[in-house]
Amino acid sequence: MSHRLAGPAQPAQPARPDGDPTVPQLPARPKAAADLRALARIATAELDRAAAIRAQMRDHHPFWGHLLAGVEVRAAFDLATLAATDGIRHIWINPAFTRHLHGEALGFVLAHELIHIAMDHRDRCRGRDPYVWNVACDLVANRMVADLRRRDGSHERLYAIPQGEVPGLGWVNPLMSSHYHNTVPEFIYEHLCAGNGERGVDVTLWIDSDDGDGPRQAGGMRTPNGIDTHATGPLSAGDQAERDQLVRSAAEAWRQSGSRGDVPGQ
């Protein structure tokens, strides 16, 4: 059985206007100290926006806000996508691209990465075709983020789907399909395992190690026009324990909030 992957029902507003004075100009090639300072300012501005989104998440959905507080969000200008995650404790964003997103679209990107971590998508691959698994997980993650609602009585969507042209990156159009609403990636995988359609793009993801030996290389996978890169390969016992502790801590924060907002599995 094959299904057409439908676009989002409502158009989003991913990019801020090109002439927006709040968007600092990015040096084409950072050669001088002034260029490096400009990049640092852009990175700081984007990380500040991520911190504001974390506070918003805590207010509307304590589980996700606490989880975002537990991971480390870093700037990575050499990242070939909007964002990436190791599926454990790190999220990377490329400020050169994310600076063009409205706050609601950046919130969508960050929540998308959190879902990959919370749902243990990396470790659950377990020998499956990594591209098809990536597609299945993105379909789940994008729907879960799109279903997050504001808790101020309006019940409007909390975040906007980032869809459109992002300068320097190209066209962004996250996978969405009503066929797979309220399903798990294992189920979706079975429907997509024939591998029909365009293949993903293999990339290299450098993951910072905590042992002082510098970054270590891991395989990664992204879908065309997607928003992120996922590290692939099973987690070590230590990494799995750390991820599990982050999720348990977020669940406890949700319980202490009076079970306010969404949690995985609802």
Side-chain angles (χ1 to χ4, degrees):
M1 179 184 297
S2 62
H3 297 300
R4 183 176 66 87
L5 302 182
Q10 298 180 354
Q13 300 175 344
R16 293 191 269 184
D18 293 336
D20 189 338
T22 65
V23 181
Q25 295 300 308
L26 181 69
R29 291 183 177 272
K31 297 179 180 179
D35 290 336
L36 295 176
R37 288 194 294 270
L39 292 177
R41 287 194 295 270
I42 293 169
T44 298
E46 289 306 286
L47 293 176
D48 285 346
R49 289 211 297 157
I53 290 168
R54 180 180 64 217
Q56 180 193 48
M57 280 189 186
R58 275 184 158 169
D59 184 41
H60 291 269
H61 297 278
F63 174 90
W64 297 110
H66 189 88
L67 187 62
L68 185 56
V71 304
E72 186 170 359
V73 181
R74 297 179 177 179
F77 281 97
D78 56 349
L79 190 62
T81 56
L82 288 168
T85 181
D86 59 0
I88 309 164
R89 57 183 175 273
H90 293 113
I91 293 174
W92 293 270
I93 60 173
N94 188 334
F97 302 145
T98 61
R99 71 197 184 101
H100 296 289
L101 302 181
H102 288 287
E104 293 82 1
L106 179 58
F108 188 103
V109 171
L110 291 173
H112 178 104
E113 304 309 317
L114 289 176
I115 288 170
H116 287 316
I117 295 173
M119 304 301 289
D120 203 15
H121 284 164
R122 176 178 172 182
D123 201 60
R124 286 165 63 186
C125 183
R126 298 178 184 174
R128 295 180 175 89
D129 179 281
Y131 170 69
V132 181
W133 179 250
N134 178 61
V135 170
C137 291
D138 276 352
L139 284 165
V140 169
N142 290 335
R143 174 55 60 186
M144 288 178 66
V145 181
D147 286 345
L148 289 176
R149 302 290 172 170
R150 302 183 66 88
R151 298 292 170 170
D152 56 5
S154 67
H155 300 293
E156 296 177 352
R157 283 183 174 178
L158 185 59
Y159 299 120
I161 301 168
Q163 184 188 44
E165 188 75 19
V166 175
L169 177 62
W171 185 260
V172 171
N173 186 27
L175 293 173
M176 297 285 287
S177 175
S178 59
H179 292 290
Y180 303 119
H181 197 208
N182 292 328
T183 57
V184 295
E186 287 84 356
F187 174 85
I188 298 173
Y189 180 90
E190 294 302 319
H191 284 263
L192 301 176
C193 63
N196 296 324
E198 187 177 4
R199 293 293 295 177
V201 180
D202 292 305
V203 299
T204 298
L205 180 62
W206 291 91
I207 301 175
D208 292 337
S209 64
D210 295 326
D211 55 13
D213 292 334
R216 54 189 171 89
Q217 186 175 354
M221 180 69 71
R222 67 182 173 91
T223 52
N225 302 327
I227 62 178
D228 68 338
T229 297
H230 313 161
T232 57
L235 301 182
S236 68
D239 286 340
Q240 186 69 61
E242 183 169 358
R243 189 213 69 90
D244 291 349
Q245 179 56 41
L246 284 174
V247 174
R248 284 195 297 269
S249 179
E252 179 59 28
W254 173 74
R255 284 190 290 269
Q256 292 182 3
S257 73
S259 303
R260 181 163 46 89
D262 292 357
V263 294
Q266 278 189 329

